[in-house]
Amino acid sequence: MSWYFKRLGSRKIIEFIIFALFIFFFLGPLINLALLAFSGKWQFPAALPQSWSLTWWKYVLSQPEILKSISLSFLIAIVVTALSIIICVPAAYAFARIRFPLSRWFLFSFLLTNAFPKMGLYVAIAVLFFKVGLMNTFMGVVLIHIVNTLMYMTWIPAASFKSVHKAQEEAARDAGAGPLRVFWNVTLPMALPGIIVASIFTFLSSLDEAQGTFMVGMPDYKTMPLIMYGAVQDYPATAGAVFSILLTLPTIILLFVSRRFVSADVMSSGFTMK
């Protein structure tokens, strides 16, 4: 075995160790979570569970409140994503194509919702919602989720629209296409990967949102993250692991399905100040 390491060289060995630590850092908690969720008995210092069980899976999936929270979370995430596309994509196109005073500052202002401690922002929004009757309402929860998604749904599509060369749009106009047809057949298809990436992050951000929902939606609107916090406190770690997997699984599936659109280039272009 020693001859193999000598053949690799010290640089390759160091790179392999760093890569192994990187994988362990990111995948280690997920693997531990999966093992814990299916364990019946797992006591220290055993490396693996002594027995396997689906007891907590059956318990969690038989609770009406939990099933209701799952459907509510997906319903809110779908509505938030749809409304964010309707509101933010036209705004992103305007930032990319129309010159108006202080446009860069307006675009930068969408970052402010993520630049401060969110709980303070949620308290201020909750006071406003209380005055207009949006506390403990479905629309109130949707609106506070949209506050979190403004940056994704504006910055990334704006960068995608900017990446479409004007010469291509002008060539379509020279061929007789009207402004709407140029946008639908030329601009939108080329900017679509960025819009899809932004929509995915909007959906996932809404699915995982807890603080704003707790501030505005309680006690009638309990989403999956809120139920999970209660389960972690009131039930054994195994139940918490089952909840975590139920909350994480849609994220993994969605990222896997959309992996052809999600890339570092699309993400980095959305957060580049020009």
Side-chain angles (χ1 to χ4, degrees):
M1 197 69 180
S2 59
W3 65 268
Y4 180 73
F5 288 109
K6 289 180 181 178
R7 185 179 177 184
L8 281 179
S10 58
R11 182 178 175 180
K12 289 287 185 184
I13 293 173
I14 293 173
E15 289 177 354
F16 176 78
I17 293 173
I18 293 175
F19 179 72
L21 290 173
F22 182 80
I23 295 296
F24 178 77
F25 180 78
F26 280 97
L27 294 184
L30 291 177
I31 294 172
N32 180 72
L33 194 68
L35 293 174
L36 186 60
F38 292 97
S39 65
K41 181 182 178 184
W42 193 2
Q43 294 180 335
F44 184 80
L48 293 173
Q50 288 94 351
S51 64
W52 303 93
S53 174
L54 294 174
T55 302
W56 284 106
W57 282 92
K58 294 176 183 176
Y59 175 80
V60 168
L61 294 177
S62 65
Q63 299 300 307
E65 187 181 31
I66 294 172
L67 297 177
K68 183 181 177 182
S69 73
I70 294 173
S71 60
L72 178 63
S73 293
F74 276 93
L75 176 62
I76 291 174
I78 291 170
V79 173
V80 167
T81 305
L83 288 179
S84 297
I85 292 173
I86 294 172
I87 296 170
C88 296
V89 170
Y93 181 80
F95 280 118
R97 284 291 186 260
I98 301 174
R99 291 182 176 273
F100 56 91
L102 302 178
S103 61
R104 289 187 61 187
W105 287 102
F106 279 119
L107 185 61
F108 185 76
S109 67
F110 288 100
L111 181 64
L112 295 179
T113 57
N114 292 272
F116 301 105
K118 289 186 177 177
M119 188 53 76
L121 179 65
Y122 291 151
V123 170
I125 293 175
V127 173
L128 178 63
F129 280 12
F130 182 78
K131 292 180 180 177
V132 297
L134 285 173
M135 289 295 285
N136 198 24
T137 63
F138 181 81
M139 185 52 65
V141 175
V142 168
L143 288 176
I144 206 160
H145 281 217
I146 289 178
V147 170
N148 282 325
T149 65
L150 289 176
M151 185 182 70
Y152 297 126
M153 283 306 300
T154 307
W155 278 42
I156 298 177
S160 298
F161 284 125
K162 280 184 179 178
S163 67
V164 180
H165 294 292
K166 291 183 179 179
Q168 294 170 300
E169 296 175 331
E170 291 170 356
R173 291 196 190 96
D174 292 341
L180 185 59
R181 189 173 181 183
V182 171
F183 176 80
W184 187 257
N185 292 329
V186 178
T187 310
L188 185 60
M190 298 185 73
L192 194 58
I195 296 172
I196 291 175
V197 169
S199 302
I200 291 169
F201 278 92
T202 296
F203 183 86
L204 297 179
S205 175
S206 175
L207 202 63
D208 293 338
E209 214 290 324
Q211 294 178 336
T213 309
F214 177 79
M215 188 64 67
V216 172
M218 290 291 280
D220 290 341
Y221 294 91
K222 296 180 181 178
T223 56
M224 286 172 62
L226 292 181
I227 294 291
M228 189 184 76
Y229 287 151
V232 169
Q233 293 176 347
D234 300 334
Y235 295 98
T238 308
V242 173
F243 259 100
S244 298
I245 288 180
L246 289 176
L247 192 60
T248 307
L249 200 58
T251 303
I252 295 174
I253 293 174
L254 192 57
L255 289 177
F256 181 78
V257 171
S258 58
R259 65 189 186 283
R260 63 186 289 253
F261 297 107
V262 179
S263 67
D265 294 338
V266 176
M267 286 295 298
S268 61
S269 64
F271 294 95
T272 301
M273 296 295 294
K274 296 179 180 178

